[in-house]
Structure formats: structure tokens, C-alpha cells
Amino acid sequence: MAVHSRQPGFFQALLTFGLIVITIGIGLFILQTSLHSLMLLCLLIAGVSARCLGADYYSIKKAMNDGIHGALSAIYIFILIGVIIAAFIESGTLATLLYYGIRLIEPAIFLPAGMLFCTVMSLATGTSWGTVGTAGVVLMSIGESMGFPTAVVAGMIISGASFGDKMSPVSDTTNLSAMTSKTDLYAHIKSMSYTGGPVYLLVLALFTFYGLNYSDSVLPAEHLELLSEGLRSTFSISLWALLPLLAMLVLSVRRVSAELAMAASALVAVLLAVVLQGQAFGVVLNSLFDGGQIRSGVAELDTLLERGGIISMMWTLSLSLIALALGGVLDRFGFLKVLIVGILSRVKRAATLVATTIITSLFGNMGMGEAYMTIILGGQLFGEAYDKKDIDRSVMSRSLEEGATLTTALIPWTTGGAFFASTLGVSVLEYAPWALLNWMNPLLSIVMAYSGFALFRTRRVNRAIMDRRAVS
């Protein structure tokens, strides 16, 4: 039977969270310890701290289970993305996109064109994960074949996908931020455009500048032609091979659940692998677990095609399970809530409130391993503070999105960071400096807040200002 526990004090909450951050920092950057082992130590720290509050083993275990249960959809998507990548390789979908990408896209415009494509795809489908797991894998292959650094390409993909996701009216995090902040969805999107729009254009310009200056260093045309011929000799290059991608896009736009859209896309890809590519049905099914096993005779091409499969997501999945269990303990026993409430009591300025929202959302992601829980908790705790300072709730929803949705890609043990790293084959620490939008947007949003830009006031305050002007 679960034992009732008390709430932690501010000092205990700060100590618990501080020990977790220190453990990860020392283990990751100094001792270079496995992230899984570090997260287990952090889970132990949180469990001992919860026990000091009077919680018994069963209460702590239930909190861990609840943390994992709240993100089951993400776990299903991890598995399905591995399946989709393998199916796209076997069906020739990846090969067809790679073939036309190499032949049609000029290296000088690859980075800005790729970023725009990822933005549009995420905007249409409402999912950065789906974009990274499909278009992102293709763009990584094209970028590698052209000779671009993988960290730069990954950063470009994540920047474009993340912006499209947070600006999409069909995105789950966009709707969640508006709902928990009790503001209109389109007021929330409009508010984000004031801070996110200028940053997006700046990041697009930076990638354009980098691409133009790096294009002289890409692989020679003869090498790209060798890759193209390798693809043509190994696969049946045809527009029919794009049917799985089209199926997923159509289903996503029609608001079919992500899991069903991915499963349907993978099924179409499996059928095409047998019918169009002439693969043995048993071999295709095995690849869904083991990943692509196609040999083209071109070493670099084989490296690009040996991806995917459920097994490729196991590192990500196991890390996420531990991180989500940790987040469940920190959430259930109020550690993060106590910290936020304690910090809010010291906030005086409206701009500081915006900065606090963004920074605590970042730390919320670090503690709970997932943006959804951070957004929900922030919506519950920050609303009254914004009302007291007469700041429109669309500013709060925007700050939650920038602090939670964008920064999850920059933290190795969050579901987002682990997923992007595993899918693109580049570690978070490598691509994070190049995920320009994900860290520049929150930083510049704080700077804009202190300059007074886009700090929208409530209608009550606006009416009072207009009345004063009328009297004068």
C-alpha cells in the first residue's frame, strides 16, 4: 500500500535537481560515462530524495510507471521510425529520393533548400519527428554524398523541422501549449511569429552563406555520378517508389494518428520492395528488425543504405525509458514544481518572467526527459504570474514552446534528443551547435523581451491605455 509523502522544501528540490545536473555533467563531459548509466544514477538520486519525503518503494515505482505511461506514443513512434527507415530502403524510396537529390540539387543551395523543405513538411504534417525520420534521413544521405559535414546537415534538418512543427496548427505541442496556457491557437502561432520569424530568416541566411562558401569543398561531380550509377544499378528508380512517402504525407495532413500513418506507409513500402524491387518477402520482413542489408558494390553508398530497423532504435528507446521514469519521480513528488514556485516568488519584471519561463522549461526538459510534461506543468504554474503582470497568455504559450519544444532536441537524454541522434546518426553534442534555430530562438526571445518587443499586454491594460489617451 502506498504511503503518503510530503512536498519537498525549496532547498531539497534544488539539491536534488542540482545533484542530477552535476552527475550528468561530470559523467558525460569529464568521465565520458555511458549516458544510460548516468541516468540510472540520477534515478537513484531522485528515488532516495523521494524516500526522504516519506514515500515508499511502491509509490516511487508507480511514479516511474506513470512517467513512462505518459509517453507511450513516443515509444511506439521510436519503433515505427526504425521500421519505416528500413522499409524505405528496401522499397527503393530512399534510393529514388537520393538519386534525384544528387542529380537535381546544387551543392551551393543544398542547406537552405533542405531547411525550407523540412519546414514545409513539418508545417503540413505537424510533426518534426516524422520529418526527421523520413525527409531527414534522405537529406542526411544526400548531404553525406555531397561531402557536407554530418553535424551541419543534421543541424539544418532539425532547425527546419522544429520551426515547422512549432508553427503548425496541426502540431501536438503547438495545440498543447495553447491549450495549457488557455489562449487561442492562432493567437499563440501569431505570437511565435514575432520572435521565431526573424530568427528563422537569420538562420536560413546563415545556412545559405555556409553552403555558398562550402560548395567548393564538396565531392567532385565524378564521385556523385558514381553514386548515382550505383543507385541505378541496385534499385529500380521510379516515381512509384515514392508512394510510401506520399501515403504518409496524405494521412498526416488528414490528421490520421502518427502511428497509423507510419504503419500504413511502412506497409506500402514492404509491398513495393517485393513488387517493384523484386526482394524476397522474408528478407524484407527481416530487414524491418535488422535494418537495410542491400549491397550496391559502392562502399560509401552501402554505408548510407545500412540503416533503420527496430534494432537501431533500441539505444534510444532504452535511454528514453530511464529518462521518463526519472521525470515521473521528479513530477510526482513535486521537485520541479517547488523549484518553479520558489523562483516565481522572486520575479519582479515582465521580461524576467518570460526569461524564467524559457529557462525553467529547459531545466524541466532536462529533469523530465520530455517536452509534453514540461509544457503541461508550465501551463499550470505560470498562468497566474502572467495575469498579475497583465501579460497576454499568448506570450506565456510562446515562451513555453520556445523553452520546451525547441530545447528538447539539444538535450541528449530527452526523447527528442535521443530520437534525432539515433535517426540521423549524429550525436546531440555534435549537432547541437548547428541546430541554430533551436538555441538562437530562445536566447533572442529573452533579449527581445528585455527590449520590450512582443510583450503583448492584456486587453484590459490596452483599454486603459486608450482611455488615458482619449482623456488627454
Side-chain angles (χ1 to χ4, degrees):
M1 183 176 178
V3 177
H4 180 71
S5 60
R6 63 183 186 275
Q7 282 281 97
F10 181 80
F11 176 76
Q12 183 181 353
L14 183 62
L15 178 62
T16 302
F17 203 85
L19 284 174
I20 289 172
V21 173
I22 291 170
T23 299
I24 295 172
I26 293 176
L28 203 58
F29 298 106
I30 298 177
L31 302 178
Q32 297 184 342
T33 309
S34 161
L35 194 49
H36 290 70
S37 301
L38 293 175
M39 295 310 294
L40 283 173
L41 284 177
C42 292
L43 184 57
L44 179 62
I45 291 170
V48 170
S49 189
R51 183 70 184 91
C52 292
L53 296 174
D56 63 358
Y57 167 75
Y58 297 101
S59 298
I60 297 172
K61 180 181 177 181
K62 185 178 186 306
M64 293 165 59
N65 292 342
D66 290 344
I68 294 171
H69 184 269
L72 281 178
S73 292
I75 293 171
Y76 297 147
I77 289 174
F78 282 157
I79 296 172
L80 286 169
I81 286 292
V83 169
I84 279 182
I85 294 173
F88 277 20
I89 290 172
E90 297 291 334
S91 65
T93 303
L94 179 63
T96 299
L97 289 168
L98 182 56
Y99 176 81
Y100 287 116
I102 291 173
R103 299 188 72 85
L104 299 178
I105 300 177
E106 289 292 328
I109 64 166
F110 168 70
L111 291 176
M115 183 175 171
L116 286 169
F117 180 68
C118 288
T119 300
V120 171
M121 188 166 176
S122 282
L123 194 63
T125 62
T127 168
S128 59
W129 285 29
T131 299
V132 171
T134 51
V137 173
V138 174
L139 290 170
M140 281 297 298
S141 299
I142 295 174
E144 286 182 65
S145 66
M146 289 181 173
F148 282 97
T150 55
V152 176
V153 180
M156 171 272 289
I157 292 166
I158 293 166
S159 293
S162 298
F163 182 78
D165 186 333
K166 84 184 186 81
M167 296 301 292
S168 172
V170 296
S171 166
D172 50 2
T173 54
T174 304
N175 280 272
L176 183 64
S177 296
M179 181 181 68
T180 57
S181 301
K182 298 180 181 178
T183 189
D184 178 71
L185 172 63
Y186 291 97
H188 167 56
I189 294 174
K190 181 179 178 182
S191 180
M192 288 193 295
S193 69
Y194 280 85
T195 54
V199 176
Y200 181 81
L201 294 176
L202 173 61
V203 171
L204 187 65
L206 289 173
F207 276 123
T208 301
F209 178 79
Y210 182 94
L212 290 173
N213 283 274
Y214 193 85
S215 59
D216 293 336
S217 302
V218 299
L219 297 176
E222 296 79 11
H223 186 84
L224 296 179
E225 184 62 31
L226 176 64
L227 294 178
S228 297
E229 288 303 315
L231 289 168
R232 193 200 297 270
S233 63
T234 307
F235 295 93
S236 174
I237 303 298
S238 165
L239 293 179
W240 289 107
L242 302 181
L243 280 178
L245 183 60
L246 179 63
M248 189 169 72
L249 284 173
V250 171
L251 291 173
S252 297
V253 170
R254 293 179 65 86
R255 305 305 297 142
V256 174
S257 70
E259 296 91 337
L260 288 176
M262 290 178 181
S265 178
L267 179 60
V268 174
V270 167
L271 294 175
L272 280 179
V274 175
V275 175
L276 184 64
Q277 304 299 338
Q279 297 277 33
F281 186 60
V283 172
V284 176
L285 290 183
N286 284 333
S287 74
L288 300 184
F289 177 76
D290 295 326
Q293 302 293 328
I294 294 175
R295 296 289 182 270
S296 65
V298 181
E300 287 185 53
L301 195 55
D302 290 343
T303 301
L304 298 178
L305 298 174
E306 291 177 355
R307 300 186 182 209
I310 295 173
I311 194 69
S312 69
M313 304 305 295
M314 286 299 103
W315 187 93
T316 306
L317 181 57
S318 56
L319 178 63
S320 297
L321 289 174
I322 303 172
L324 290 169
L326 170 63
V329 174
L330 293 176
D331 179 49
R332 164 65 180 81
F333 297 103
F335 293 105
L336 190 60
K337 180 179 179 180
V338 168
L339 274 180
I340 293 175
V341 171
I343 293 170
L344 277 178
S345 65
R346 297 165 173 79
V347 172
K348 305 300 181 185
R349 295 178 58 183
T352 305
L353 179 59
V354 170
T356 301
T357 306
I358 293 173
I359 294 170
T360 54
S361 294
L362 166 64
F363 280 95
N365 281 348
M366 293 173 66
M368 293 190 285
E370 223 255 337
Y372 296 99
M373 296 166 67
T374 301
I375 291 171
I376 292 171
L377 181 62
Q380 294 171 345
L381 298 179
F382 286 109
E384 187 177 344
Y386 277 83
D387 292 341
K388 285 182 178 179
K389 289 181 170 45
D390 296 311
I391 302 297
D392 193 89
R393 291 233 178 176
S394 65
V395 177
M396 180 179 86
S397 62
R398 178 185 78 205
S399 302
L400 287 173
E401 187 102 60
E402 291 169 342
T405 303
L406 291 181
T407 64
T408 186
L410 306 176
I411 305 169
W413 58 91
T414 61
T415 53
F419 172 78
F420 291 152
S422 178
T423 303
L424 299 177
V426 183
S427 74
V428 175
L429 297 181
E430 288 180 288
Y431 75 62
W434 293 99
L436 300 177
L437 186 127
N438 296 69
W439 58 265
M440 288 178 67
N441 194 167
L443 284 177
L444 291 180
S445 187
I446 292 173
V447 172
M448 291 177 185
Y450 279 101
S451 71
F453 180 76
L455 271 179
F456 307 122
R457 298 288 177 173
T458 59
R459 292 180 180 179
R460 178 169 59 84
V461 173
N462 290 336
R463 281 199 299 269
I465 293 173
M466 291 175 66
D467 290 342
R468 285 197 298 270
R469 288 176 178 173
V471 171
S472 61

